Amino acid sequence: MSSPFDQIIITESGESLEESELSLLETLDHVLNRGLVIAGEITISVADIDLIFLGLNVMLSSVETAQEVLRRREQKSE
Amino acid sequence: MKLYVYCLAEDVDEPSNSLRGVAGEPVRRLDAGNFSVLVSDFAAEAVLVNQENAVAHAEVVQSVLTQTTPLPFRFGTLVTEQQLESYLSARREALESKLGSVRGCVEMSVKIIADPDSSEASGPNNNPQTPGTAFLSEKRREILGSETRAAEAKRVASWLEDRIGEVVRETRINTNPTDKLILAAAHLVKREKVPEYRTRLAEARHERPELHFLTSGPWAPYSFANIDLEFKTQFGVS
């Protein structure tokens, strides 16, 4: 996919690690959790997973991915 | 036949023939009054929520953002042409005013993440869990210690506001997400102010090296698009 981002920053150094994964999660967070809703017209479910629930998980995943990157980086620097 | 709706704008070019949207469908422009809406003809009853479709939705919206600032619809909006037209005419004023409020702006996103080590106190959590159990454990952790975190989130939010508030037109902020995420903010920023916004954010990050930032943008104003249910959609309840 072409990334809609021109920057993803996790730490001071401005490095962008795991960019594709994080940009995907950020995309999902925006597309699934936000946006104009025509009241009553959004009823989507995938295998009984409510969309809002899916959205919540996406948000948690993007944070977890970021933390994982930080952890790995700390291990490398030790 | 229904329409899958991507975004709404006042003045937008006919999308390129090669642009493909959700389910690989071509994208066309539908004009109604002063509005242009990008849509795909959609035969199925529901949209499959998968990575490919979500990314396709984002890419169609992004293609408009290069020309003008649209109001993006949430993923999965399927309506009949008649429903869409009656929505547009019934909510014309609110939509026009919303478009006016985001005109010339983009959304920038900032998530501030807690130090990975400081969240270890929540205990080992490596067991494979069903989504339901994982959700409930997360909720439990959210409630425990939520007061301390809420206070810290408020301090961080007000510090951030102090540093970048001048270049931000509007803010949507969630200061109570989880034990890992201190805050999630969406900032509506004038396009020409984006470089200054970034400079200020970089300076702010420099001041607080203990905080970790996940920033992204520019986005279409996903967090500023709703004319109804502002509170509910902001807090993920609907």
Side-chain angles (χ1 to χ4, degrees):
Chain A
M1 64 180 273
S2 65
S3 166
F5 299 92
D6 60 4
Q7 63 163 13
I8 288 190
I9 303 158
I10 303 171
T11 64
E12 282 252 272
S13 61
E15 285 176 72
S16 69
L17 286 179
E18 315 287 328
E19 179 161 346
S20 59
E21 194 176 356
L22 279 169
S23 68
L24 173 63
L25 289 163
E26 280 286 286
T27 300
L28 295 181
D29 179 31
H30 280 80
V31 170
L32 300 181
N33 289 333
R34 306 157 198 223
L36 183 51
V37 172
I38 299 182
E41 287 305 329
I42 304 254
T43 46
I44 318 163
S45 63
V46 203
D48 299 328
I49 302 171
D50 180 76
L51 187 62
I52 298 298
F53 177 61
L54 195 69
L56 179 69
N57 276 343
V58 165
M59 190 141 163
L60 293 174
S61 318
S62 81
V63 171
E64 271 156 17
T65 308
Q67 288 192 325
E68 192 49 43
V69 171
L70 293 174
R71 265 195 209 100
R72 265 181 252 151
R73 189 174 301 165
E74 271 163 25
Q75 281 164 4
K76 264 186 219 155
S77 66
E78 273 164 13
Chain B
M1 179 68 82
K2 287 197 166 184
L3 297 174
Y4 183 94
V5 190
Y6 302 93
C7 60
L8 175 148
E10 274 166 323
D11 188 20
V12 61
D13 296 340
E14 189 70 42
S16 107
N17 286 333
S18 61
L19 185 64
R20 286 289 175 275
V22 165
E25 293 293 334
V27 180
R28 65 185 172 93
R29 191 184 70 191
L30 187 147
D31 294 323
N34 292 331
F35 300 124
S36 294
V37 186
L38 289 199
V39 299
S40 288
D41 294 309
F42 205 84
E45 276 305 301
V47 191
L48 206 53
V49 186
N50 59 24
Q51 179 177 324
E52 203 182 355
N53 283 342
V55 169
H57 179 106
E59 285 182 343
V60 171
V61 171
Q62 208 69 14
S63 76
V64 175
L65 188 65
T66 58
Q67 307 167 41
T68 181
T69 301
L71 294 181
F73 283 91
R74 191 181 289 196
F75 179 85
T77 304
L78 268 183
V79 290
T80 63
E81 187 162 344
Q82 196 184 359
Q83 283 171 325
L84 180 61
E85 277 169 1
S86 73
Y87 173 77
L88 295 177
S89 69
R91 307 310 309 273
R92 187 173 59 82
E93 277 179 28
L95 290 167
E96 278 172 355
S97 127
K98 206 59 176 168
L99 273 169
S101 75
V102 301
R103 191 171 292 131
C105 297
V106 290
E107 174 174 333
M108 303 297 287
S109 162
V110 180
K111 290 182 173 123
I112 299 185
I113 297 161
D115 199 286
D117 296 327
S118 68
S119 62
E120 293 304 309
S122 57
N125 192 19
N126 300 323
N127 300 330
Q129 289 179 314
T130 62
T133 317
F135 177 78
L136 289 173
S137 331
E138 191 59 45
K139 275 284 167 218
R140 182 171 166 273
R141 281 199 298 277
E142 251 174 57
I143 293 161
L144 300 171
S146 64
E147 283 177 21
T148 329
R149 283 201 307 277
E152 168 66 4
K154 279 204 179 106
R155 280 194 297 274
V156 173
S158 108
W159 163 79
L160 187 64
E161 166 66 26
D162 187 57
R163 294 301 181 274
I164 62 167
E166 262 177 55
V167 289
V168 169
R169 185 139 155 200
E170 216 180 315
T171 302
R172 290 274 185 282
I173 197 156
N174 185 347
T175 49
N176 192 20
T178 68
D179 57 346
K180 292 166 186 155
L181 184 60
I182 300 173
L183 67 83
H187 294 127
L188 190 66
V189 181
K190 286 292 249 180
R191 285 174 194 256
E192 64 272 20
K193 296 268 188 188
V194 168
E196 193 185 343
Y197 170 88
R198 289 196 175 123
T199 308
R200 286 189 181 226
L201 199 57
E203 286 166 2
R205 283 184 8 244
H206 196 66
E207 257 178 58
R208 300 283 298 265
E210 80 283 11
L211 298 176
H212 300 296
F213 288 67
L214 175 58
T215 69
S216 66
W219 295 96
Y222 284 91
S223 308
F224 301 91
N226 261 306
I227 53 171
D228 298 312
L229 308 168
E230 292 268 288
F231 179 85
K232 284 186 178 176
T233 52
Q234 188 182 343
F235 294 94
V237 182
S238 62

